Amino acid sequence: MHKKKEFSKEDLELAKYLKALSHPARISIMKQLASSTTCFCGEIVEVLPLSQSTVSQHLKELKEAGLVKGEIEGTKVCYCIDDIEWQKAIDVISSFLNNNFHKKIECC
Amino acid sequence: MHKKKEFSKEDLELAKYLKALSHPARISIMKQLASSTTCFCGEIVEVLPLSQSTVSQHLKELKEAGLVKGEIEGTKVCYCIDDIEWQKAIDVISSFLNNNFHKKIECC
DNA sequence: TCAAATCATCGTAATATTACGATATTATAA
DNA sequence: TTATAATATCGTAATATTACGATGATTTGA
């Protein structure tokens, strides 16, 4: 299964970012981190209707996509958006949303 | 499982669009439809490294997300982007990408 | 009417995702 | 040193996703 090797590098990269953001919990996490009101794992857990282990798993996925990084602060972990990678994601996604859809020729 | 009922309506809608676009095959399909070079199901199948039934399944998912609509033309089916819904998706996704991330306060 | 073409759907298998509780890990505080 | 707090990881179960071939449905053309 998964013949994704045969898709373009561009489409695979775009899919990676979109997939990382395709779950409401991960969307909520990104919004929280962006607002800078919450930052510690425990705070995020309190906001979401999910268990601690599940939230930790979602954070891991965001980290693996490169969108988020975590730093240990004592016994807590402070999560932040990786600005460089996030800007790259914004660029890639925005480019897909805008650039490819200028020539709307209705065909049906 | 799936306690998504407890997430905000906004996040759920955003997740719906992002999920629909989170597979390289569906990204490629959207690009093809946008470029208006391909439009019939059979043409899309020829471009992708997937079987006809699998492509049909991906098209169904795009239809269920509202992003695409299909019209029967003889023995073929012509697929098009649903402009209204696509613009809505662009708005929702763009808003998420841009509006929520102005106040970058580094906390770690 | 019948065959061919086109696409959707069904059945199914492999894998991925999502979620939880239990446990391991790590750092601080007593 | 030991207990506590915070988080990660493990094990596992339920469900979703992805993919294919086979089959069904529909339309056109012979």
Side-chain angles (χ1 to χ4, degrees):
Chain A
M1 214 174 56
H2 277 308
K3 316 209 299 184
K4 295 190 182 177
K5 307 300 178 324
E6 309 177 42
F7 294 105
S8 77
K9 221 169 184 179
E10 193 186 309
D11 288 353
L12 287 171
E13 188 191 27
L14 177 55
K16 182 192 76 171
Y17 289 132
L18 292 173
K19 189 169 186 180
L21 298 169
S22 71
H23 191 287
R26 295 193 289 272
I27 289 170
S28 176
I29 290 172
M30 290 300 285
K31 284 183 177 178
Q32 288 180 58
L33 296 185
S35 73
S36 296
T37 55
T38 54
C39 161
F40 293 112
C41 178
E43 294 173 323
I44 297 168
V45 170
E46 279 178 23
V47 173
L48 298 178
L50 298 170
S51 72
Q52 178 265 322
S53 61
T54 301
V55 171
S56 200
Q57 216 171 287
H58 282 300
L59 283 165
K60 190 181 177 187
E61 284 180 65
L62 288 171
K63 265 199 298 187
E64 281 169 355
L67 300 176
V68 150
K69 53 188 175 181
E71 279 191 11
I72 298 172
E73 284 192 20
T75 169
K76 300 184 179 182
V77 175
C78 177
Y79 281 97
C80 271
I81 291 173
D82 185 317
D83 288 329
I84 307 291
E85 192 78 6
W86 176 241
Q87 192 53 56
K88 193 176 163 192
I90 290 180
D91 292 344
V92 168
I93 297 172
S94 297
S95 166
F96 168 66
L97 292 181
N98 302 314
N99 296 358
N100 290 108
F101 297 86
H102 284 323
K103 28 190 170 169
K104 287 189 207 162
I105 303 162
E106 286 287 331
C107 68
C108 57
Chain B
M1 212 174 56
H2 276 312
K3 316 209 298 182
K4 295 190 184 178
K5 306 299 177 325
E6 308 177 43
F7 294 106
S8 77
K9 222 169 182 179
E10 193 185 308
D11 289 352
L12 288 170
E13 187 191 30
L14 177 54
K16 182 193 77 172
Y17 289 132
L18 292 173
K19 189 169 187 180
L21 298 169
S22 71
H23 191 287
R26 296 194 288 272
I27 289 170
S28 176
I29 290 172
M30 290 301 286
K31 284 183 177 177
Q32 288 180 58
L33 296 185
S35 73
S36 295
T37 56
T38 53
C39 161
F40 294 112
C41 177
E43 295 173 322
I44 296 169
V45 170
E46 279 177 21
V47 173
L48 297 179
L50 298 170
S51 72
Q52 179 265 320
S53 60
T54 302
V55 172
S56 201
Q57 218 171 285
H58 282 300
L59 283 165
K60 191 182 178 186
E61 285 180 65
L62 288 171
K63 265 199 296 187
E64 281 169 354
L67 299 176
V68 150
K69 53 189 174 180
E71 279 192 11
I72 298 172
E73 284 192 19
T75 170
K76 300 184 180 183
V77 174
C78 177
Y79 281 96
C80 272
I81 292 173
D82 185 318
D83 287 329
I84 306 292
E85 193 77 5
W86 176 241
Q87 192 54 55
K88 193 176 163 191
I90 290 179
D91 292 345
V92 168
I93 296 171
S94 298
S95 167
F96 168 65
L97 293 181
N98 302 316
N99 295 359
N100 289 108
F101 298 87
H102 284 322
K103 27 188 171 172
K104 286 189 206 159
I105 303 162
E106 288 288 330
C107 66
C108 58

